[in-house]
Amino acid sequence: MTGTRNLLGGLFLAVATVGAWWLWLGWDTGYTVDAETGSTSGPYEPWQVVGCVLTLAVLAALAGTRLSPWLVAPVMAVAFTVAWSWRAASTDDSGLWVVGAGLVLIGTAVGATVVSVGARRIGGRRLHRSH
């Protein structure tokens, strides 16, 4: 039963993680050019990144109370990095998207680990207090 729960939970978490990417970042492909300096920024606005990070944190916390953090972190990191890389690779001729993908993978893995372990510990304490 645990194997099935882990499989289904991991699949749901992967889909939800890709959904968070799409909800906040996946639809935005436009860059902004400053008329005065000529510098380019984007495609994401700060509010999009903050919203995405908060959504991923909630997903990691919820998943961490139900699944092992050692399953949560790699599932979220790989799912988010694949979604991010798919878009980045298709719009970058320089090849630097690979560096970005590495940073996204590491950041997502660390963040998901910290949040899911914390949620697991807090959730475990609540369970012990209620019994």
Side-chain angles (χ1 to χ4, degrees):
M1 186 69 147
T2 300
T4 302
R5 188 178 103 189
N6 285 339
L7 177 64
L8 293 176
L11 286 173
F12 178 81
L13 182 59
V15 169
T17 300
V18 171
W21 169 81
W22 180 255
L23 174 71
W24 292 105
L25 308 176
W27 54 269
D28 193 351
T29 59
Y31 286 82
T32 304
V33 178
D34 187 307
E36 289 184 24
T37 64
S39 64
T40 304
S41 65
Y44 314 125
E45 296 294 329
W47 64 267
Q48 290 174 278
V49 176
V50 169
C52 188
V53 168
L54 291 175
T55 302
L56 292 174
V58 169
L59 284 174
L62 291 173
T65 63
R66 291 164 179 78
L67 300 169
S68 166
W70 310 119
L71 175 65
V72 172
V75 166
M76 290 187 74
V78 169
F80 193 83
T81 303
V82 167
W84 185 91
S85 297
W86 167 73
R87 174 63 55 81
S90 69
T91 60
D92 177 25
D93 295 331
S94 70
L96 286 176
W97 71 268
V98 176
V99 175
L103 295 172
V104 167
L105 180 69
I106 292 166
T108 307
V110 169
T113 300
V114 169
V115 172
S116 62
V117 166
R120 180 70 145 210
R121 288 186 178 164
I122 291 168
R125 285 188 204 137
R126 287 186 181 160
L127 285 174
H128 292 297
R129 286 183 194 162
S130 65
H131 289 290

